[in-house]
Amino acid sequence: MEQETAADTEDSPQEKYPFRIEEAIGALAMGLICLISILNVVVRYATNVSFAFTEEYSVFLLVIVTFVGAGLAYSNKGHICITFVVNRFGRNGRALLNTISFLASVSLFVMLVYYGSDLAIDEYLFEETSPALGYPTWIYTMWLPLLSLAVLFRIFQVQWNDLRKKR
Amino acid sequence: MSAHVILLGSFFLILISGAPISVALGLSGVIAIFFGLDMDAVANMSTITYASIAKYPLIAIPLFILTGMIFERSGVAERLVELSRAIVGPRRGGLALVAILVCLIMGGMSGSGPADAAAVATVMIPSMMKEGYPRAFSASIIAASASTAILIPPSIALIVYSIMVPGVDLRALFAAGLFPGLLAGLAVAVPALIISRRNGYGSDSGASRPPLGRSFVRALPGLFAPVIILGGLRSGLFTPTEAAAVAVSYGLIVGLFLHRSMSMRDIYNVLAESAQISAVVMIIISLAGIFAFAGSILGTFDAAAGHILSISDSPMVVLILVMFVVLLAGMVLDGVSIYLIALPLLMPIMATLGWNQVWFGVLMAMNVAIGQFTPPVAVNLMVTAKIANVPIEATMRWVFWPIFAMILSVGLVIAFPSIALWLPTVLGYKV
Amino acid sequence: ADYKSEYKVSTVVPAPFPWGLAADKWIELVRERSDGRINMKAYPGTQLVAGEQTKEFTAVRKGAIDMSVSSTINWSPQIPEMNIFALPFLIPDYKAMDALTSGPVGEEIFEIVRSKGVEPLAWAENGFRELTNSKREVRSPADLEGMKIRVVGSPLFNDTFTAFGANPAQMSWADAKPALTTGAVDGQENPLTIFTIAKMHLVGQMYVTTWGYVADPLIFAVSHRVWKDFTPEDQEILRQSAIDAGAYGIEIARKGLTEGDDSLYKELESLGVTVTHLTDEERQKFVEASRDVYEKWTEIIGQDLVKKAEDSVANR
Ligand code: NA
Ligand code: NA
């Protein structure tokens, strides 16, 4: 059974897994979310300066954290899954269920790449602007298909490694 | 085949295949939209995926996850253990009580169970072993008491609830969770003490008792964290998101300067790990948006709510039934998924039967907490069993008692809603 | 082509808000007049785009939403000209609002919407947007200093409130109520019908300032993806029903807020809410504070259209 990665906290995970670029991006985005949130409190109580516009950045960073981390969680087997059913099956049953699970993840993220690009291109062509800061929205939205593509890469990588191990 | 059957059927099939719960939610939603509506509606999935997480109040989730991890890494747990030992003293079942106490206090800094469970298990299990507690017993007790982290504020589960149920005040929910959380802690402590006494776990001599005053001073920076979080909210000074930001800063100050237990490298690690743990929660929220979209637009939730309401005229019967189903769901699903799947259909029921939203949110959170240490899928138990180096199966005989006692405590909160609602009312929140 | 068994109509708020009532009226009239051949269902809370109301127009254009009754503000991220109604203090009264929607400005806006793949049918109304807050009575920009105000839709609102000295935060209606409840924001701006029906005094919004700084007309619209499938007769049914539902919607949106009938203000006061009607001099201070914003956004919206609007208002 794979569960939340807190399971791995007693040994140092930075040595356990090879360095992955998503990890650094995730840490950076997380750090920025903290920094903006802390500044938000300080500015709100210490000054009269308008700072609420930063919410648009925070929300975007949250999307980055989510998709970058979702890819990592495939590599680290950190997603919340139900595996006790799979483990009850024999070899063939297990292989079948694994295939279903693999295809489910792949098709979902392929669709996110496709419809995400569709959305971002549409926003680019129609010059849509963001409600808070008035920036072109495609500069935010394009990361949905791009990072979904990165997630797909991790899904295939994990599947490839698992298959190789079995041989 | 109706779209309802397609939605639920494909969800269960993908779920049991071992795919991430998030993927099962998202893909079954897409499939049901395709069969129930058309391809044009499917195209909406990218907007929904993005919009479901692009919400500012959700920022509190990664911030509180990070807060929990920072306090876990900054050596607060050890100091709290020392203080608890000084208070409890050497006695039969003493260390079990210490572990439960520390879990409750750590729950006041962390918003989710597993981090709490990991921190306490790492510190407590070796010393509990020395005093003759079976590993599986220790793992069970710590997993159970760590589940109170989603009741004692801050709580990721209650944040998700407040976002799903419009108009409910998160501060009221946080306050309402405190006493049920302590009650749940008591529900773990009573069976733990009885079992320890019966079997003679823990010595009443042996280990020396740390001096109370010194332990208290050493534990003070940690004890201060729940005070800042609750006190900041109470004073109206901070919104929940701001309280989270302040708690993160305070945690960094404690770790870097007061305890001097963290390096810059540790901070990077904590950021990276909390990003991934947040992502696992957030991707569920994101993709469950597609499931919720499908369920509401195809009328699945309305139909399900209608069925539940038609079962009985008695609100109490319906409530107990709902609680039972949530409890069963908690055995196999994580808390966030339960909220996202169940709330769209429970909200109309809540409105029809006139249940208090804050009270019901806490009742749901109590069931979700029980689910965190109920096999087969038990996030907290996974963590503690791994640290104790025992198979999950070995915890079965011990974990039964806290499960049973916590179900009783849910019954108490159902019978006496003021256990939850008294504090937020006194603090002047809208309940 | 075959008609769908049900057409999805997106709105932000349901009945009994005038907005939701107008949508329901449209649905009812179309069903009657088409003898049940055209079935529509309202989906409030912009739930068809996961509550993200500023994404509504794109979804309508692409056919993910069939029809909508929409605020011009929520469509402004895709159609900058929609910001015309949100130019601070352009529209002094209801007569001016009617002059805009039924005059050359309304026509030009409809032409733009049509060119982007959506058929606009008629106007309805959300109302003049008034300021409310939980802190204090607001009579001048100085009273607004530092207050965190929830706004919608467009950076124009950010600019306006920043010019008033406030601290604006953009969020959807779904997020606004919890934010007001928890004090994450101190105030908001919306038509007063929204205030009373949503019982915003219960979340501490005890101060109302009527300043009518911007108006919020609504548009009945159908995606071209489904519009082209209707017979000309049915297109006419949809259009005429929208016009009739719009007239009904405008009537209820203005109820209790006119000189002859100020019952809504009375209702607010009976709830313990402090209602502040600005004098002309007080209002002028806000007008002056937002002058630069007006100029800046005239450039973005297009000088010709703004000129047309100013003329319509002057000759009302
Ligand atoms: Na907690
Ligand atoms: Na469980």
Side-chain angles (χ1 to χ4, degrees):
Chain A
M1 257 184 278
E2 297 113 26
Q3 283 296 340
E4 280 195 50
T5 44
D8 303 315
T9 42
E10 86 280 18
D11 33 36
S12 39
Q14 71 270 24
E15 284 153 39
K16 197 161 148 191
Y17 306 121
F19 173 80
R20 298 192 173 95
I21 183 70
E22 290 103 317
E23 190 188 284
I25 298 173
L28 180 69
M30 193 77 186
L32 284 173
I33 289 176
C34 280
L35 197 69
I36 293 173
S37 306
I38 292 166
L39 280 177
N40 229 325
V41 179
V42 173
V43 169
R44 180 163 171 210
Y45 293 99
T47 74
N48 270 332
V49 181
S50 175
F51 205 66
F53 66 90
T54 55
E55 292 184 0
E56 185 168 310
Y57 297 133
S58 293
V59 159
F60 168 66
L61 289 166
L62 187 60
V63 174
I64 297 288
V65 164
T66 302
F67 279 84
V68 152
L72 268 185
Y74 271 102
S75 301
N76 301 344
K77 310 242 176 209
H79 278 295
I80 303 182
C81 313
I82 292 187
T83 45
F84 67 88
V85 181
V86 179
N87 295 337
R88 306 216 141 198
F89 277 82
R91 224 185 123 164
N92 289 337
R94 214 177 283 195
L96 175 71
L97 289 175
N98 280 338
T99 311
I100 294 176
S101 140
F102 170 68
L103 289 177
S105 289
V106 169
S107 48
L108 184 85
F109 282 96
V110 163
M111 279 193 281
L112 279 179
V113 172
Y114 177 78
Y115 288 115
S117 331
D118 186 52
L119 183 68
I121 291 169
D122 190 85
E123 288 178 353
Y124 174 78
L125 292 176
F126 281 80
E127 298 179 350
E128 181 171 338
T129 52
S130 67
L133 295 175
Y135 294 159
T137 46
W138 63 266
I139 61 171
Y140 300 129
T141 320
M142 65 182 231
W143 294 99
L144 178 66
L146 283 178
L147 292 176
S148 295
L149 204 60
V151 174
L152 269 179
F153 171 73
R154 293 300 178 196
I155 294 172
F156 277 101
Q157 194 184 36
V158 167
Q159 187 74 5
W160 173 249
N161 287 342
D162 286 357
L163 281 179
R164 238 185 8 189
K165 240 181 270 166
K166 270 180 206 146
R167 270 180 208 146
Chain B
M1 209 172 10
S2 85
H4 308 325
V5 177
I6 294 175
L7 179 67
L8 298 177
S10 54
F11 172 64
F12 282 114
L13 177 67
I14 302 167
L15 191 66
I16 61 166
S17 78
I21 289 181
S22 53
V23 169
L25 286 165
L27 192 59
S28 60
V30 168
I31 294 170
I33 295 167
F34 176 74
F35 283 106
L37 298 167
D38 48 42
M39 217 52 204
D40 287 338
V42 171
N44 233 2
M45 70 179 287
S46 50
T47 305
I48 297 168
T49 304
Y50 196 96
S52 298
I53 45 170
K55 294 183 190 301
Y56 190 70
L58 286 173
I59 297 284
I61 291 179
L63 288 179
F64 276 129
I65 286 176
L66 180 61
T67 307
M69 293 194 72
I70 288 177
F71 279 108
E72 177 211 326
R73 295 298 157 80
S74 62
V76 164
E78 287 89 343
R79 287 154 213 253
L80 291 175
V81 168
E82 193 184 309
L83 174 65
S84 306
R85 289 182 88 143
I87 295 170
V88 173
R91 62 182 71 221
R92 290 218 184 281
L95 275 190
L97 207 55
V98 167
I100 294 165
L101 254 176
V102 175
C103 278
L104 291 179
I105 303 172
M106 294 289 288
M109 310 170 197
S110 149
S112 69
D116 192 359
V120 178
T122 313
V123 184
M124 290 300 299
I125 287 180
S127 43
M128 287 176 85
M129 268 166 59
K130 262 184 240 152
E131 291 203 13
Y133 294 85
R135 295 158 182 251
F137 171 81
S138 309
S140 305
I141 292 305
I142 294 171
S145 45
S147 76
T148 60
I150 65 164
L151 290 166
I152 295 171
S155 157
I156 305 298
L158 292 177
I159 293 173
V160 173
Y161 182 85
S162 79
I163 289 166
M164 303 264 320
V165 181
V168 69
D169 187 344
L170 179 56
R171 296 169 304 173
L173 279 170
F174 274 5
L178 184 62
F179 284 112
L182 297 177
L183 181 67
L186 195 67
V188 185
V190 172
L193 270 182
I194 294 174
I195 294 170
S196 302
R197 298 241 159 158
R198 275 233 177 114
N199 299 329
Y201 301 151
S203 53
D204 33 19
S205 56
S208 65
R209 188 173 187 159
L212 185 62
R214 196 174 148 270
S215 326
F216 180 72
V217 172
R218 273 169 52 82
L220 212 50
L223 288 172
F224 222 68
V227 176
I228 287 181
I229 293 169
L230 255 189
L233 292 174
R234 164 67 198 103
S235 64
L237 199 57
F238 304 131
T239 66
T241 311
E242 289 172 340
V246 171
V248 166
S249 331
Y250 178 69
L252 286 174
I253 293 170
V254 171
L256 284 174
F257 306 113
L258 284 174
H259 291 175
R260 298 209 194 110
S261 49
M262 293 180 87
S263 63
M264 289 319 269
R265 176 81 207 172
D266 291 328
I267 288 179
Y268 170 81
N269 287 335
V270 161
L271 285 174
E273 279 173 57
S274 62
Q276 193 194 304
I277 292 177
S278 305
V280 170
V281 176
M282 296 299 300
I283 195 76
I284 292 174
I285 296 177
S286 173
L287 296 175
I290 304 176
F291 185 88
F293 175 81
S296 63
I297 216 169
L298 298 170
T300 310
F301 294 150
D302 288 345
H307 278 304
I308 294 174
L309 281 170
S310 70
I311 287 172
S312 167
D313 290 334
S314 155
M316 191 48 78
V317 172
V318 176
L319 179 68
I320 289 170
L321 186 82
V322 166
M323 290 288 108
F324 183 67
V325 172
V326 173
L327 190 71
L328 286 185
M331 292 176 69
V332 291
L333 292 178
D334 66 293
V336 172
S337 301
I338 293 173
Y339 278 107
L340 291 159
I341 296 168
L343 275 178
L345 71 97
L346 290 180
M347 273 191 287
I349 297 176
M350 234 194 294
T352 309
L353 300 181
W355 294 338
N356 181 289
Q357 295 182 329
V358 173
W359 173 63
F360 187 73
V362 170
L363 285 177
M364 264 187 97
M366 291 184 87
N367 279 309
V368 167
I370 296 172
Q372 287 194 334
F373 61 96
T374 312
V377 179
V379 273
N380 292 2
L381 209 49
M382 298 284 318
V383 173
T384 56
K386 193 173 174 201
I387 294 173
N389 200 13
V390 290
I392 293 257
E393 291 73 37
T395 64
M396 295 283 201
R397 58 180 286 221
W398 304 114
V399 94
F400 171 77
W401 294 105
I403 291 173
F404 180 70
M406 264 216 214
I407 291 175
L408 285 183
S409 68
V410 175
L412 277 176
V413 180
I414 290 177
F416 305 102
S418 53
I419 298 174
L421 299 181
W422 177 77
L423 186 61
T425 311
V426 164
L427 294 177
Y429 297 132
K430 193 188 80 154
V431 293
Chain C
D2 289 341
Y3 285 9
K4 293 189 184 182
S5 60
E6 176 193 289
Y7 291 92
K8 301 184 287 293
V9 182
S10 175
T11 70
V12 172
V13 290
F17 295 96
W19 189 335
L21 287 171
D24 288 353
K25 190 80 182 174
W26 185 31
I27 292 169
E28 183 194 317
L29 291 177
V30 170
R31 186 179 298 126
E32 272 173 26
R33 294 172 186 178
S34 69
D35 298 321
R37 282 178 298 110
I38 304 174
N39 283 300
M40 296 143 75
K41 185 177 173 205
Y43 288 88
T46 39
Q47 52 176 294
L48 298 171
V49 277
E52 201 54 73
Q53 55 208 46
T54 54
K55 299 280 184 203
E56 191 188 56
F57 182 76
T58 307
V60 175
R61 189 169 52 67
K62 298 179 68 137
I65 294 176
D66 302 312
M67 306 172 179
S68 73
V69 182
S70 302
S71 162
T72 51
I73 301 169
N74 292 334
W75 285 8
S76 62
Q78 295 83 20
I79 308 172
E81 290 86 352
M82 288 289 180
N83 282 300
I84 185 106
F85 301 102
L87 270 182
F89 302 105
L90 167 71
I91 311 171
D93 50 32
Y94 285 124
K95 237 178 141 185
M97 185 130 76
D98 294 337
L100 289 188
T101 51
S102 59
V105 172
E107 258 168 52
E108 187 170 334
I109 294 278
F110 271 19
E111 209 38 66
I112 295 165
V113 171
R114 199 170 285 127
S115 75
K116 301 208 177 199
V118 174
E119 190 62 27
L121 303 179
W123 296 93
E125 192 164 292
N126 193 18
F128 277 104
R129 301 180 76 89
E130 316 289 16
L131 177 73
T132 82
N133 81 89
S134 60
K135 294 272 169 189
R136 56 183 170 261
E137 189 177 8
V138 173
R139 288 191 169 275
S140 68
D143 298 328
L144 257 178
E145 192 72 45
M147 247 189 234
K148 195 159 172 184
I149 306 289
R150 175 264 174 175
V151 295
V152 272
S154 160
L156 167 54
F157 286 82
N158 276 0
D159 287 355
T160 305
F161 276 87
T162 305
F164 294 152
N167 195 356
Q170 190 275 331
M171 64 186 77
S172 69
W173 173 243
D175 298 336
K177 260 196 108 178
L180 290 163
T181 312
T182 57
V185 297
D186 305 314
Q188 58 99 38
E189 46 77 62
N190 250 315
L192 290 179
T193 51
I194 300 268
F195 185 97
T196 51
I197 295 167
K199 298 191 172 68
M200 293 174 98
H201 61 286
L202 292 182
V203 295
Q205 295 290 295
M206 296 312 276
Y207 301 95
V208 168
T209 300
T210 67
W211 59 354
Y213 82 123
V214 302
D216 191 3
L218 306 175
I219 297 177
F220 291 85
V222 179
S223 173
H224 278 174
R225 294 268 183 120
V226 295
W227 180 251
K228 59 176 172 39
D229 295 339
F230 289 114
T231 61
E233 294 76 34
D234 284 341
Q235 289 182 346
E236 199 39 44
I237 288 177
L238 279 162
R239 188 187 307 278
Q240 192 54 49
S241 303
I243 292 170
D244 297 344
Y248 164 75
I250 289 173
E251 188 190 316
I252 46 176
R254 293 180 185 182
K255 200 164 178 289
L257 292 168
T258 54
E259 271 173 39
D261 170 18
D262 61 351
S263 54
L264 201 101
Y265 298 124
K266 296 263 160 56
E267 186 190 335
L268 283 177
E269 277 159 359
S270 74
L271 297 171
V273 176
T274 307
V275 181
T276 308
H277 302 283
L278 294 187
T279 64
D280 285 347
E281 297 98 80
E282 284 168 341
R283 197 169 183 268
Q284 195 53 36
K285 277 194 205 141
F286 285 102
V287 175
E288 277 155 23
S290 57
R291 224 47 230 171
D292 290 346
V293 176
Y294 190 102
E295 319 261 280
K296 174 183 164 192
W297 279 83
T298 297
E299 298 294 323
I300 296 171
I301 295 164
Q303 282 178 344
D304 291 347
L305 187 62
V306 175
K307 182 81 180 49
K308 245 186 230 178
E310 286 168 344
D311 288 347
S312 293
V313 170
N315 303 324
R316 69 186 183 274

